Amino acid sequence: MRTIEPTALAAAPDATAPPTATATAPVVRVVVVDDTPDLRHLLRLMLTRAGFDVVGEAADGAAAVEVVGRTQPDVVLLDVAMPRMDGIEALPQLRRTAPGAKVIAMSAFGAAHMANRAVAAGADGYVEKGTSLHSILDHVAAVGAATDRPAQPLTVTPGPSAQPATTPVRPAPGARTPSGTGVDLATLALEHAPYGVLVVSDEPAPRLVTANPAARRLLGAAVPVGGLLGLGAPALADKIAAHRHEDRTEVRVVLDGGEVLHLTLRRTEQGILVYLDHTGEELGMLRRAIAAAAHELRGPITAIDSAVDVLHWNDEPVTEPERDRLLRTVVRQVQHLDRITSDLYTATQIHLGTLHVDPRPVAVGALVAEVLADLDDVAVEVSTDRVALADPLRVEQILGNLVSNAFKYGAAPVTVVVRDGAHGTVDVEVVDRGPGIAPEFEPRLFHEFTRQRGSVARGTGLGLFVVRTLAEAQGGTASHRRHPEGGAVFTVQLPAAR
């Protein structure tokens, strides 16, 4: 676990107690911005117990701009990947809204790459999620002490696993930086990466800045470093130029020889980072699936680890209500992990031909109401008592995936409706009021390992694939339509019991 602090702040002395403010130092005022409620609560709890004043919270960049403008905090803990407006997009607005605030960016992505993006966008520091809460608090204290307020400096005592707050962004040990490019290959890809990685200039006619060996094999020797990419790979150059203004995009490109590649573009301060992989190879799909699953697993693991960290914070006891809330956090995150691993296992069963369902008479309305009973932000409407012939465990898995998707990619209010279908079925609809599904993405909506381009939401890309397959395995269907007032409606039709 790593922390990266790109700005030169005063290093804290080494000790073992949690960071606290001295009696004479001003209390550092903090706003926490993260799209995971459990993690926001854990950060608020730890910051408050360490002597900081959490003056506001927000779940996305747009809300953060409003909260920060209203509260004028000293420090903003800002998640990078969020729906509606991500942290990178919000940073310039936060700077204008509260010019005196220090911003610490947080992300579960690779630290070096995201640190460069965050600092380029105006962040004062960067913390990788998964870092101990002690270390995060040390960074908040150090950044708070460096604010421009005319006050005495904050006395900081780092936790046992903390790293100095002065750690600069620098190449990893043994990293190689190509002469004159300013590009650290260790932050892009290893020399032995099985997929192509290259950096091109951010201009209408992109030039090649650097490429790893796998990219060289795909491109051939026709494009020298510094040369125009279009001279040796015109189709690739055209695709990059068409999408160069997007922060991140995933498309397919057909090279001149007919080879089809999966193309991922990311903007960096050095230029445009390009990943090239074979779309037709099972190995290429497997690599992308592993990367997506690893990223998706990281979130709940971080929250569980943080909850345990709070429970053992400096041997200071927590109140009984707070302990109950922390345990509920752990339960929710374990359930999230269970959904992820269930989808991965189900996808494996589908490919191996061993998927098993156990249909039986199920009162779907009662099942839905029971499964969603603890979710205060989901409305349930049941207008039928008809019994379906379905596997209750698989119906619960379908429901979990659709509701999770509604919150990841959609927006509240989220409603689950159980009603009689038009053709002797029991229909379950999950409705949200988010931005909806892009028309060009609809044909691939239920495909394996696919996510809508431009989305910052996390996910394995398996959820809807599993939903459709499980529905069909029970003799039903899964479909999508647009909500007339905005948003998406996902419908699962299950055969009614005769």
Side-chain angles (χ1 to χ4, degrees), residues 38-118:
D38 284 337
L39 190 54
R40 287 202 310 272
H41 171 69
L42 290 167
L43 287 168
R44 171 184 279 275
L45 179 62
M46 290 289 275
L47 287 163
T48 301
R49 293 177 69 184
F52 301 98
D53 182 14
V54 180
V55 296
E57 296 181 13
D60 59 64
V65 173
E66 187 277 325
V67 172
V68 168
R70 174 166 44 84
T71 59
Q72 294 295 306
D74 303 307
V75 177
V76 181
L77 271 175
L78 179 67
D79 189 17
V80 171
M82 295 180 293
R84 190 179 174 192
M85 179 189 290
D86 65 27
I88 299 296
E89 185 182 357
L91 259 168
Q93 297 185 48
L94 293 175
R95 283 295 183 212
R96 290 191 295 271
T97 301
K102 301 290 185 180
V103 180
I104 302 175
M106 303 185 298
S107 178
F109 294 104
H113 168 66
M114 293 307 296
N116 287 337
R117 283 196 63 199

Side-chain angles (χ1 to χ4, degrees), residues 33-40 59 79-84 86 106-109 129 248 291-303 333 336 340 343 401 404-410 450-452 454-463:
V33 184
D34 195 284
D35 62 337
T36 303
D38 284 337
L39 190 54
R40 287 202 310 272
D79 189 17
V80 171
M82 295 180 293
R84 190 179 174 192
D86 65 27
M106 303 185 298
S107 178
F109 294 104
K129 285 185 179 179
R248 176 189 171 93
H295 186 273
E296 181 75 353
L297 290 167
R298 186 84 178 268
I301 290 173
T302 296
Q333 298 304 322
H336 188 189
I340 298 168
D343 283 350
N401 282 359
S404 175
N405 256 34
F407 284 106
K408 281 182 184 177
Y409 301 98
T450 58
R451 285 180 293 179
Q452 184 165 319
S455 171
V456 296
R458 298 176 292 270
T460 60
L462 284 173

Side-chain angles (χ1 to χ4, degrees), residues 204-217:
R207 294 180 179 272
L208 181 64
V209 177
T210 188
N212 73 344
R216 279 285 177 204
R217 288 192 294 271

Side-chain angles (χ1 to χ4, degrees), residues 156-297:
V156 180
T157 308
S161 59
Q163 298 180 17
T166 53
T167 306
V169 178
R170 58 177 177 267
R176 180 169 62 84
T177 301
S179 176
T181 67
V183 178
D184 169 21
L185 286 183
T187 68
L188 307 179
L190 297 176
E191 286 288 303
H192 301 290
Y195 47 83
V197 183
L198 59 148
V199 177
V200 300
S201 61
D202 184 5
E203 50 189 330
R207 294 180 179 272
L208 181 64
V209 177
T210 188
N212 73 344
R216 279 285 177 204
R217 288 192 294 271
L218 291 169
L219 296 176
V223 185
V225 171
L228 289 171
L229 187 64
L231 295 179
L236 178 60
D238 290 345
K239 191 70 72 171
I240 292 172
H243 295 279
R244 71 186 185 90
H245 294 298
E246 301 173 31
D247 280 342
R248 176 189 171 93
T249 189
E250 296 184 25
V251 294
R252 293 188 178 192
V253 59
V254 181
L255 297 185
D256 296 332
E259 191 170 16
V260 181
L261 298 179
H262 181 91
L263 178 67
T264 302
L265 305 180
R266 291 179 180 171
R267 294 176 63 84
T268 73
E269 62 179 356
Q270 290 93 6
I272 299 175
L273 176 62
V274 181
Y275 294 93
L276 296 172
D277 208 350
H278 292 84
T279 56
E281 289 185 353
E282 290 187 3
L283 183 59
M285 179 177 286
L286 176 62
R287 285 196 292 265
R288 293 190 291 277
I290 291 173
H295 186 273
E296 181 75 353
L297 290 167

Side-chain angles (χ1 to χ4, degrees), residues 335-350 355-357 367-368 371-372 391-405 428 430 460 462-471 474 492 494:
Q335 290 172 340
H336 188 189
L337 285 173
D338 183 62
R339 282 196 298 272
I340 298 168
T341 54
S342 293
D343 283 350
L344 291 169
Y345 184 56
T346 300
T348 300
Q349 291 178 311
I350 293 168
L355 179 66
H356 175 73
V357 295
L367 175 64
V368 169
V371 171
L372 301 179
D391 185 329
L393 293 179
R394 297 301 191 179
V395 172
E396 186 172 344
Q397 186 176 359
I398 287 172
L399 188 63
N401 282 359
L402 290 177
V403 171
S404 175
N405 256 34
V428 180
V430 177
T460 60
L462 284 173
L464 292 179
F465 168 72
V466 167
V467 164
R468 184 194 64 182
T469 305
L470 289 180
Q474 297 173 85
V492 172
L494 299 170

Side-chain angles (χ1 to χ4, degrees), residues 123-142:
D124 297 284
Y126 181 91
V127 176
E128 186 177 2
K129 285 185 179 179
T131 299
S132 73
L133 289 182
H134 292 81
S135 188
I136 292 176
L137 294 181
D138 292 336
H139 276 64
V140 175

